[in-house]
Amino acid sequence: MIDALTEAFVRVQGWMFDRLVQPPLLALGLGSHLEMAFDGIQFFLAGVLQIGVAYLLLRPLEAWRPVEVWPDRRAVRVDVLYSLLDRLGIIPLAVFALLAPLFAAIDGWLRLHDIIPPQLEDFLPALETRPLLCFLVYLLVLDFAEYWRHRLSHVLRWWWALHAIHHSQRRMTLWTDSRNHLLEDLIGGFWFASIALLIGVPPGQFIGLLLVVKTVENLAHVNARLSFGSRGESLLVSPRYHRWHHALELPAGDRYRHGCNFAVLLPVWDQLFGTQYRGQELPRCGLAGDPLPPDAASSGFWRQQRQGLQAFAAALWSRDSAADGQREGTHAR
């Protein structure tokens, strides 16, 4: 069964490359980009599969055991557009494609001068012969990096101005994960791809790692009464665990002034760095007040992008834009 699916995937990828992608690239004199284009098709098809699997598995769960029921789902529709832009690889793959030649040039210069930068396999030689273990170690390193990227997006005022678009959604669904300002997507894509390239992640594994992260993020945002239990939630971020990250009223205490439960995959990072909250309730979600106007929760895609840029510019011009952010008027208020 798996072999048949893999063969079908490869055939579709080959057909798309031969018929739809290769001819225009050659006609435009862009033959040097064929390898990256072939990988891009793989990423696109994997994104289509990921969206399909997420919808088929998680949408019934939302209908079966919803946390909230809304007669009007128009506010959710814009998140579907965000998901298509993100999951089909338009932004993350573009960033990876732009960075890969740069890192290759830097690596070539260093090697020319007998400077060989160490990669993960240099510290753990056993990874070279154990691809699954190598994949898991890459995932661990990238998840650690994602925790700090996510936490910084709540601490730095200019970054929070963009990230607030994500938190403005009051109706959490499986689509909410991709609800991000395009500029923040570029920053996040640069962050993820840079770490991946620095530790030596090959393009094929990069796609697999990104799909694992995105699938778990879909699950974490699902509108369903789903908990993994006390032990399970110490191993993997659950919808209830992550819902507290989106809570309209965050837990009391100075340790939570920027938010809680920043982990993307593994809650252990929140536990280690003092940002974990294990509330059993299912709080209301959304953003209360600044830096976005009240209609950001239900406005359209382009309006949200404009509102995010306006908040971003205001944060940059403010005197304390680089401060660690006493985030007055955020969802933590």
Side-chain angles (χ1 to χ4, degrees), residues 55-83:
Y55 184 80
L56 290 174
L57 293 180
L58 301 181
R59 185 66 191 98
L61 190 62
E62 290 186 327
W64 177 45
R65 299 195 65 194
V67 177
E68 299 173 299
V69 178
W70 316 294
D72 183 359
R73 293 179 61 86
R74 282 182 296 179
V76 177
R77 292 173 190 166
V78 68
D79 291 357
V80 178
L81 175 59
Y82 279 108
S83 295

Side-chain angles (χ1 to χ4, degrees), residues 9-52:
F9 186 96
V10 171
R11 285 183 178 179
V12 173
Q13 182 183 9
W15 181 88
M16 291 183 66
F17 180 74
D18 292 337
R19 299 293 183 86
L20 304 177
V21 176
Q22 184 174 239
L25 285 180
L26 292 177
L28 293 170
L30 299 174
S32 60
H33 293 77
L34 288 176
E35 183 177 353
M36 184 60 69
F38 189 78
D39 291 335
I41 296 172
Q42 182 183 14
F43 192 97
F44 173 82
L45 291 175
V48 171
L49 286 175
Q50 196 270 324
I51 289 175

Side-chain angles (χ1 to χ4, degrees), residues 2-162:
I2 295 178
D3 290 340
L5 290 173
T6 302
E7 184 178 351
F9 186 96
V10 171
R11 285 183 178 179
V12 173
Q13 182 183 9
W15 181 88
M16 291 183 66
F17 180 74
D18 292 337
R19 299 293 183 86
L20 304 177
V21 176
Q22 184 174 239
L25 285 180
L26 292 177
L28 293 170
L30 299 174
S32 60
H33 293 77
L34 288 176
E35 183 177 353
M36 184 60 69
F38 189 78
D39 291 335
I41 296 172
Q42 182 183 14
F43 192 97
F44 173 82
L45 291 175
V48 171
L49 286 175
Q50 196 270 324
I51 289 175
V53 169
Y55 184 80
L56 290 174
L57 293 180
L58 301 181
R59 185 66 191 98
L61 190 62
E62 290 186 327
W64 177 45
R65 299 195 65 194
V67 177
E68 299 173 299
V69 178
W70 316 294
D72 183 359
R73 293 179 61 86
R74 282 182 296 179
V76 177
R77 292 173 190 166
V78 68
D79 291 357
V80 178
L81 175 59
Y82 279 108
S83 295
L84 293 175
L85 288 172
D86 180 41
R87 293 300 192 266
L88 299 183
I90 295 171
I91 292 175
L93 192 65
V95 173
F96 190 82
L98 290 171
L99 286 179
L102 174 62
F103 274 75
I106 294 173
D107 182 69
W109 184 90
L110 292 173
R111 292 178 186 276
L112 184 64
H113 293 80
D114 295 323
I115 303 172
I116 302 178
Q119 296 186 330
L120 214 53
E121 289 86 346
D122 297 320
F123 298 104
L124 300 170
L127 297 180
E128 294 184 7
T129 56
R130 299 178 182 178
L132 179 58
L133 178 61
C134 186
F135 183 87
L136 294 175
V137 173
Y138 283 147
L139 190 63
L140 184 69
V141 173
L142 287 168
D143 190 47
F144 175 74
E146 283 294 282
Y147 167 84
W148 284 105
R149 177 200 59 77
H150 193 186
R151 188 169 174 178
L152 285 173
S153 71
H154 283 248
V155 172
L156 301 176
R157 284 183 179 271
W158 63 267
W159 204 339
W160 168 247
L162 298 173

Side-chain angles (χ1 to χ4, degrees), residues 100-293:
L102 174 62
F103 274 75
I106 294 173
D107 182 69
W109 184 90
L110 292 173
R111 292 178 186 276
L112 184 64
H113 293 80
D114 295 323
I115 303 172
I116 302 178
Q119 296 186 330
L120 214 53
E121 289 86 346
D122 297 320
F123 298 104
L124 300 170
L127 297 180
E128 294 184 7
T129 56
R130 299 178 182 178
L132 179 58
L133 178 61
C134 186
F135 183 87
L136 294 175
V137 173
Y138 283 147
L139 190 63
L140 184 69
V141 173
L142 287 168
D143 190 47
F144 175 74
E146 283 294 282
Y147 167 84
W148 284 105
R149 177 200 59 77
H150 193 186
R151 188 169 174 178
L152 285 173
S153 71
H154 283 248
V155 172
L156 301 176
R157 284 183 179 271
W158 63 267
W159 204 339
W160 168 247
L162 298 173
H163 189 60
I165 291 290
H166 180 68
H167 282 267
S168 66
Q169 180 58 276
R170 299 168 188 166
R171 298 180 175 181
M172 287 264 287
T173 68
L174 69 96
W175 307 107
T176 305
D177 169 57
S178 296
R179 180 191 177 97
N180 299 304
H181 196 279
L182 291 178
L183 181 55
E184 188 189 15
D185 266 341
L186 287 173
I187 296 170
F190 181 89
W191 180 289
F192 192 90
S194 295
I195 301 297
L197 288 165
L198 282 171
I199 63 178
V201 176
Q205 288 214 22
F206 175 81
I207 293 171
L209 289 164
L210 203 56
L211 287 176
V212 169
V213 172
K214 296 298 185 181
T215 300
V216 175
E217 288 181 334
N218 275 134
L219 175 62
H221 290 84
V222 74
N223 175 38
R225 296 182 180 275
L226 180 63
S227 169
F228 299 161
S230 179
R231 290 188 178 181
E233 288 191 353
S234 66
L235 299 175
L236 187 68
V237 170
S238 75
R240 180 175 66 182
Y241 185 92
H242 192 69
R243 193 174 181 89
W244 273 104
H245 177 73
H246 282 263
L248 191 63
E249 296 293 336
L250 288 172
D254 188 62
R255 65 188 293 192
Y256 300 127
R257 71 185 185 277
H258 301 306
C260 65
N261 298 359
F262 297 104
V264 174
L265 299 182
L266 307 176
V268 65
W269 309 127
D270 285 308
Q271 187 175 3
L272 287 174
F273 299 109
T275 54
Q276 186 173 84
Y277 183 75
R278 298 288 291 272
Q280 300 302 303
E281 304 86 357
L282 293 169
R284 291 186 303 136
C285 298
L287 185 72
D290 297 336
L292 300 175

